[in-house]
Amino acid sequence: MAQDNLFHQPALADEVADLMREVVPGVIIDATFGGGGHSRRLIAEFGADVEIIAIDRDPEAVANAVALGITAVQGNFGDLARIVAPLIEGPPSGILFDFGVSSRQLDTPKRGFSYHREGPLDMRMGPDARLTAAEIVNEWPIPDLAGVLRRYGEEPMADRIAAAIAAARPIETTSQLSTVIAEAMPAARRRAGHPARRVFQALRIAVNDELTAVTAGLDQAIQLLQSGGRVVAISYHSLEDRIVKTRFAAGATGCVCPPGLPVCGCGRAAELRLLTRKPIRARSEEVAANRRARSAKLRAAEKVAA
Ligand SMILES: C[S@@+](CC[C@H](N)C(=O)[O-])C[C@H]1O[C@@H](n2cnc3c(N)ncnc32)[C@H](O)[C@@H]1O
């Protein structure tokens, strides 16, 4: 099956296939189908032994899956359980999350995701998003805007940038916003990476309420999986990775009674076995061929029998 690398080149595809090998034959939910790079890799490797169910917020990604004859649903993986309920007869054996945006989304100017391309301040991954970036940029009070930049962009100059944005309203395009941000920065910051990177990340996360979906999607994935099933999650920034790491660690924690108690009083049992103590990173050859892979961190866990 040909790779549609123009749409999106998947990160850590070999590692995903290796981790899913143990759960094949079975049903694997690709909760972030995008260009289908990971699913295509799984199908190429496992053939008819794997049945893929695809989910994406973006109608274009869903159309990709349908064109490949894959069962696909447009929706938010924050509603994973509800979305897959009518599609599966039993619990799935694998669930994959490859968070964030696809290269196609970033590279399409009218989607407004990129500070490198002139476009409207949109940034919605799909029609279910209730906000646009323009609403946050032009309508939110300065303290709320600064809060988003601090929380989701980890932007140290959030207050200063929020004030500069408010002073420049209305801001209509990605390049106008980018210029306002750059001009609000001291020269030293302008030399250290693109000055708009953190702000664009923050707006995108807020528009799509991404971290709420990551938290809910992981919880539901762990609930849904069959015992012995595997969940694999690829993150691209520390906010996502922290949620995955914390959720997996909590799931892998068993009895918390003080040592020496004759019988367990807490009744707590681990629901997960960690498959990655440290996140898996892309090898240097992969990073050389796919720059996006440099920030990818993969964590995986296996559901243990209840
Ligand atoms: C990094 S891309 C996935 C690329 C894909 N693995 C591939 O190989 O082509 C992330 C995709 O997840 C989708 N997405 C992000 N958050 C989502 C959510 N909460 N629910 C459903 N899809 C989401 C985006 O629309 C995007 O298509």
Side-chain angles (χ1 to χ4, degrees):
M1 199 172 282
Q3 292 276 330
D4 185 358
N5 287 344
L6 292 175
F7 196 106
H8 185 89
Q9 204 176 340
L12 297 166
D14 289 346
E15 290 78 359
V16 169
D18 283 346
L19 282 157
M20 290 299 189
R21 189 178 312 282
E22 291 296 315
V23 301
V24 171
V27 171
I28 295 181
I29 299 171
D30 182 344
T32 50
F33 188 81
H38 286 109
S39 283
R40 291 163 200 255
R41 177 78 170 74
L42 294 171
I43 293 167
E45 184 108 4
F46 306 119
D49 280 345
V50 68
E51 184 194 337
I52 302 283
I53 294 178
I55 299 172
D56 204 292
R57 279 177 105 161
D58 191 329
E60 214 187 328
V62 173
N64 281 332
V66 171
L68 290 169
I70 291 173
T71 305
V73 183
Q74 187 199 323
N76 184 333
F77 61 60
D79 293 326
L80 187 67
R82 192 184 53 74
I83 291 173
V84 299
L87 303 174
I88 52 177
E89 278 165 18
S93 54
I95 302 179
L96 169 67
F97 297 95
D98 180 22
F99 298 126
V101 275
S102 67
S103 305
R104 170 64 70 94
Q105 289 167 328
L106 274 174
D107 294 343
T108 304
K110 70 169 191 265
R111 305 293 299 265
F113 284 109
S114 172
Y115 42 78
H116 292 303
R117 296 175 201 282
E118 169 75 342
L121 289 171
D122 189 325
M123 299 198 191
R124 286 170 299 171
M125 283 185 187
D128 65 306
R130 289 192 305 254
L131 270 176
T132 64
E135 287 169 62
I136 300 178
V137 164
N138 289 314
E139 293 170 25
W140 282 24
I142 297 176
D144 295 359
L145 176 56
V148 159
L149 305 188
R150 222 180 344 265
R151 206 163 46 250
Y152 297 149
E154 301 182 291
E155 171 53 70
M157 293 186 184
D159 291 322
R160 180 169 169 158
I161 296 170
I165 288 174
R169 285 169 175 167
I171 300 174
E172 269 152 26
T173 69
T174 47
S175 24
Q176 282 169 11
L177 177 60
S178 211
T179 305
V180 171
I181 298 164
E183 286 173 356
M185 298 268 190
R189 250 308 284 285
R190 270 181 259 154
R191 285 191 293 272
H194 197 291
R197 188 182 64 78
R198 288 170 182 274
V199 173
F200 272 63
Q201 172 185 302
L203 291 173
R204 195 199 85 201
I205 292 175
V207 164
N208 296 291
D209 199 8
E210 287 181 41
L211 302 184
T212 303
V214 169
T215 305
L218 282 175
D219 263 345
Q220 291 169 46
I222 293 164
Q223 286 284 320
L224 276 173
L225 276 177
Q226 67 181 35
S227 97
R230 292 182 164 193
V231 52
V232 175
I234 306 175
S235 307
Y236 295 89
H237 54 75
S238 56
L239 300 169
E240 287 165 349
D241 185 53
R242 204 172 302 145
I243 296 173
V244 179
K245 181 180 172 186
T246 307
R247 182 63 186 88
F248 282 5
T253 304
C255 170
V256 289
C257 291
L261 273 194
V263 284
C264 166
C266 73
R268 190 179 164 138
E271 55 184 342
L272 294 177
R273 177 171 77 87
L274 297 184
L275 299 170
T276 49
R277 293 261 152 215
K278 292 233 159 72
I280 297 177
R281 308 295 304 259
R283 286 166 286 111
S284 51
E285 308 86 77
E286 180 176 359
V287 174
N290 179 10
R291 237 177 84 72
R292 184 184 158 79
R294 77 193 181 288
S295 51
K297 284 188 180 173
L298 181 156
R299 295 185 190 268
E302 186 172 281
K303 175 113 170 230
V304 295

